[in-house]
Amino acid sequence: MSTFLAFFGVSAVVIVTPGPDTAVTIRNTLLGGRTAGLLTALGVAVGQTIWAVATSAGIVALLVASEPLFMAVRYAGAAFLGFLGLQALREAIRPSARPAAERPGCGRTRRLGRRAAFAQGLVSDLGNPKMAVFFASLLPQFVPAESATFGALLLLGIVFAVMTLLWLALYAAAIAKAGDVLHRPTIRRSIEAVAGTVLVGLGIRIAADQR
């Protein structure tokens, strides 16, 4: 139990520290409302579960040990974040459409689809090679050597993914609740500019970062 509580504490500190997944969740909530934010968070959690499975099966160790594969994941993830960041900056400078429109009898319509929100959360997490390094280095520390089985490692990874899902879901709910204020044109464009700058910056940092 003490080992699990230690894992819970370390995981909580890592999860609440803003990073690419948080930035993408916030941006997608602004674009598509709470549903899009929750689906983005779910995509992130699914990505982390995939990393957990890969870590438990020893695949992540091979990825980390292979410089070409590791670099490919790094640059693909960096390019994806940069792409999302540039989209946000473009919307901040020249909005292509209103973020939400009122239609009689239909309420608000949104621009970001559910599948796109989920896919962006999934790709954002899978494209971050730091998750591979993090899972490969963190999970084994909290499993006794004699108990370091596939199931034990996977369980810790799933716990981490669920904690992440709950935290990002809180982000999405809070932002959606303030939606009427945040969707005012001036405020929205300012947020898009900040989000775009952060995403581009994170992409550059991932591309340039050394292990």
Side-chain angles (χ1 to χ4, degrees):
M1 178 59 69
S2 60
T3 301
F4 179 78
L5 291 177
F7 170 78
F8 189 88
V10 171
S11 298
V13 172
V14 173
I15 290 169
V16 301
T17 302
D21 294 336
T22 304
V24 173
T25 300
I26 291 173
R27 175 181 179 271
N28 285 359
T29 303
L30 289 172
L31 286 177
R34 180 168 54 186
T35 299
L38 293 176
L39 287 172
T40 303
L42 180 60
V44 170
V46 170
Q48 291 181 347
T49 302
I50 293 174
W51 281 124
V53 172
T55 300
S56 305
I59 298 174
V60 165
L62 297 176
L63 172 64
V64 174
S66 173
E67 188 70 20
L69 285 177
F70 189 84
M71 294 294 288
V73 172
R74 171 190 293 178
Y75 289 134
F80 180 71
L81 290 177
F83 171 73
L84 293 181
L86 290 175
Q87 279 191 327
L89 290 174
R90 184 185 64 185
E91 287 295 320
I93 298 172
R94 297 182 61 184
S96 58
R98 293 181 62 185
E102 295 286 346
R103 291 182 181 178
C106 297
R108 288 174 178 252
T109 59
R110 305 282 182 173
R111 289 190 287 119
L112 184 66
R114 296 182 177 184
R115 291 183 180 179
F118 176 83
Q120 288 181 12
L122 178 65
V123 175
S124 169
D125 193 80
L126 291 180
N128 186 357
K130 285 190 173 183
M131 291 303 303
V133 177
F134 174 74
F135 270 56
S137 61
L138 177 71
L139 300 188
Q141 293 184 36
F142 295 94
V143 178
E146 64 275 10
S147 303
T149 62
F150 178 92
L153 291 170
L154 179 59
L155 177 60
L156 291 180
I158 291 176
V159 169
F160 186 91
V162 171
M163 291 173 63
T164 301
L165 174 60
L166 294 176
W167 177 250
L168 293 180
L170 287 176
Y171 256 109
I175 293 170
K177 191 171 183 179
D180 289 339
V181 174
L182 296 179
H183 281 105
R184 292 174 181 172
T186 302
I187 296 177
R188 176 181 172 76
R189 292 177 68 175
S190 299
I191 294 176
E192 287 276 19
V194 173
T197 302
V198 169
L199 287 168
V200 171
L202 288 170
I204 293 174
R205 189 180 72 176
I206 288 176
D209 192 24
Q210 300 299 317
R211 297 195 202 187

